[in-house]
DNA sequence: AGACCAGACCGCCAAA
DNA sequence: ACTTTGGCGGTCTGGT
């Protein structure tokens, strides 16, 4: 089992605190055996006051961090700007021995305070981005994304973006299939693309702003063929300029970036669930060649398609499982 | 690894 | 007056 310590300091946000327990706790293998051992650690064992006013009993103190392979620092409200020596030492030593460090919401303040984010890309809740940047100008803050993975350091935006981060971690550790099962159990989106910009600008997207939804749906059905901006614009019956503009306001990203993301998800699914050669997987998921797929794979997941399949592909007795028409919505289940 | 080229992206502006 | 659209062109990016 992968060992996870969840660190919650003074004023911890209960919503955020629950996320890693819910997501990692729900991750099971095919035989329903839990895949993560998750612990709540605080500055010291005992009661921690939450941002909601009530207190929660932490069964562990900072020493629990030594035990963990992954440490998730949960946000506090207001953010924990000052971090005492022990917390700093515990996090630094976790990093030194190669543990994975992640933050949810304003947990990034704690990591930044320890100097762990210097010269790295990171994100935090959009409401605190100005404050964060002022305090930690040496951190390359990106306010526009749901989460960022920089090697063994991951940071996520506010609250629910923590779910995206944790699901991503599960998918890296145990494959998409497992992550999707968790998403289904927790009834959350298996993979939300686009940044937090979409929530900043339109907290509840008006129906009108969903106008490209069917166009995206069409694209998901045709990932295996080349899709140009012209194609999408024609589909949406607008100019390319307007398409790009709307696309950004709805998803927080550009059409090509979004397509690449979706194609990678499809490729991962094909690698996990079929025996198709990598070259064929590349074509089926709309990458022009195996080389392109390999490049994207390395950029996004830091591994190769072959190794990915090795790690997560089910060895199936019946031979190739080929569902033919590549449909990305199958990712949801 | 690097070069090349088509296509993607986006600021700007005028028109609707 | 204000919002939305679409075209132009310069720069950037991704795929080969």
């Amino acid at each position: 089992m992968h060992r996870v310590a969840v660190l919650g300091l003074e004023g911890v946000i209960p919503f955020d605190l629950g996320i890693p327990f819910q997501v990692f706790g729900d991750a099971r293998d095919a035989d329903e055996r839990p895949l993560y051992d998750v612990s709540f650690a605080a500055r010291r064992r005992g009661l921690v006051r939450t941002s909601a006013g009530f207190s929660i009993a932490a069964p562990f103190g900072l020493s629990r961090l030594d035990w963990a392979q992954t440490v998730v620092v949960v946000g506090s409200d207001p953010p924990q700007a000052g971090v005492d020596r022990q917390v700093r030492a515990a996090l630094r030593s976790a990093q030194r021995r190669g543990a994975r460090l992640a933050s949810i919401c304003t947990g990034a303040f704690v990591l930044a305070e320890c100097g762990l984010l210097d010269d790295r890309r990171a994100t935090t809740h959009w409401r605190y981005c100005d404050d964060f940047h002022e305090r930690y100008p040496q951190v390359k803050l990106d306010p526009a994304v749901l989460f960022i993975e920089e090697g063994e350091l991951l940071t996520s935006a506010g609250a629910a973006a923590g779910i995206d981060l944790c699901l991503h971690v599960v998918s890296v550790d145990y494959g998409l299939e497992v992550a999707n099962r968790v998403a289904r159990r927790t009834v959350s989106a298996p993979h939300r693309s686009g940044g937090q910009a979409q929530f900043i600008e339109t907290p509840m997207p008006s129906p009108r702003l969903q106008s490209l939804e069917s166009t995206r749906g069409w694209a998901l059905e045709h990932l295996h063929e080349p899709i140009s901006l012209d194609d999408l614009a024609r589909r949406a019956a607008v100019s390319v300029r307007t398409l790009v503009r709307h696309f950004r306001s709805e998803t927080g990203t550009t059409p090509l970036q979004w397509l690449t993301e979706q194609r990678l998800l499809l490729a991962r699914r094909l690698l996990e669930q079929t025996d198709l050669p990598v070259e064929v997987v590349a074509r089926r998921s709309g990458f022009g060649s195996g080389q392109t797929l390999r490049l994207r794979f390395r950029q996004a997941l830091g591994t190769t398609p072959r190794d990915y399949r090795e790690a997560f592909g089910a060895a199936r007795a019946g031979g190739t499982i080929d569902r033919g028409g590549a449909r990305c919505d199958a990712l949801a289940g």
Side-chain angles (χ1 to χ4, degrees):
Chain A
M1 279 205 287
H2 189 101
R3 300 183 300 275
V4 180
V6 180
L7 178 64
L9 302 172
E10 270 302 290
V12 62
I13 301 167
F15 185 93
D16 296 0
L17 181 60
I19 289 170
F21 288 91
Q22 200 65 45
V23 175
F24 294 128
D26 261 354
R28 304 294 164 95
D29 67 11
D31 299 323
E32 288 296 307
R33 278 188 298 259
L35 294 167
Y36 292 90
D37 186 352
V38 195
S39 295
F40 174 31
R43 219 177 70 70
R44 64 173 70 85
R45 195 165 169 273
L47 288 182
V48 182
R49 192 188 51 79
T50 70
S51 65
F54 58 82
S55 295
I56 296 183
F60 299 100
L62 288 173
S63 60
R64 195 59 169 176
L65 270 53
D66 297 335
W67 158 91
Q69 293 157 290
T70 294
V71 176
V72 182
V73 183
V74 173
S76 293
D77 188 20
Q80 284 277 313
V83 171
D84 70 38
R85 199 161 301 155
Q86 284 123 318
V87 171
R88 184 183 305 235
L91 284 170
R92 282 201 176 149
S93 100
Q95 193 229 10
R96 266 198 307 277
R97 67 186 166 75
R100 176 201 279 143
L101 299 179
S103 71
I104 295 176
C105 194
T106 57
F109 279 75
V110 177
L111 295 180
E113 191 69 35
C114 299
L116 297 170
L117 298 178
D118 290 1
D119 295 318
R120 293 174 188 264
R121 293 175 60 234
T123 192
T124 187
H125 193 293
W126 58 267
R127 271 181 58 205
Y128 295 101
C129 277
D130 287 345
D131 190 17
F132 187 94
H133 183 65
E134 208 163 294
R135 276 178 204 273
Y136 314 110
Q138 69 280 19
V139 179
K140 296 180 201 148
L141 180 69
D142 186 346
V145 297
L146 288 175
F147 65 86
I148 288 178
E149 178 177 31
E150 270 252 339
E152 293 295 279
L153 269 161
L154 298 94
T155 50
S156 66
I163 298 176
D164 297 275
L165 180 145
C166 292
L167 283 173
H168 173 76
V169 167
V170 172
S171 88
V172 169
D173 288 344
Y174 295 107
L176 265 190
E177 171 100 40
V178 171
N180 286 339
R181 272 208 308 272
V182 178
R184 203 157 48 209
R185 278 192 195 225
T186 56
V187 197
S188 54
H191 180 87
R192 294 191 294 167
S193 57
Q196 57 178 327
Q198 54 189 322
F199 305 104
I200 300 169
E201 285 157 15
T202 54
M204 290 298 264
S206 64
R208 171 160 203 309
L209 280 175
Q210 292 300 308
S211 59
L212 288 181
E213 190 157 328
S214 68
T215 304
R216 283 195 296 275
W218 173 84
L220 288 179
E221 308 261 331
H222 295 82
L223 286 177
H224 52 104
E225 29 189 277
I227 298 174
S228 69
L229 282 182
D230 278 334
D231 295 333
L232 292 172
R234 212 170 307 126
R235 221 51 233 174
V238 292
S239 69
V240 169
R241 187 70 191 81
T242 299
L243 176 95
V244 170
R245 201 151 32 203
H246 284 190
F247 210 97
R248 181 168 281 288
S249 83
E250 288 179 28
T251 66
T253 183
T254 66
L256 187 65
Q257 278 173 1
W258 180 86
L259 272 175
T260 303
E261 233 173 291
Q262 302 304 320
R263 284 180 164 143
L264 263 174
L265 286 170
L266 175 56
R268 289 170 69 180
R269 187 174 72 78
L270 290 172
L271 288 168
E272 286 185 31
Q273 301 185 354
T274 73
D275 298 326
L276 298 169
V278 171
E279 202 65 33
V280 176
V281 168
R283 311 266 174 212
R284 291 265 176 112
S285 48
F287 292 97
S289 68
Q291 194 168 23
T292 303
L293 173 64
R294 278 181 261 272
L295 182 68
R296 295 268 154 248
F297 227 84
R298 181 152 295 286
Q299 288 171 343
L301 299 166
T303 181
T304 67
R306 209 197 72 90
D307 286 350
Y308 183 86
R309 169 175 275 159
E310 183 78 23
F312 307 127
R316 289 166 201 279
T320 303
I321 292 181
D322 178 9
R323 304 235 175 98
R327 290 174 50 102
C328 214
D329 57 2
L331 288 168

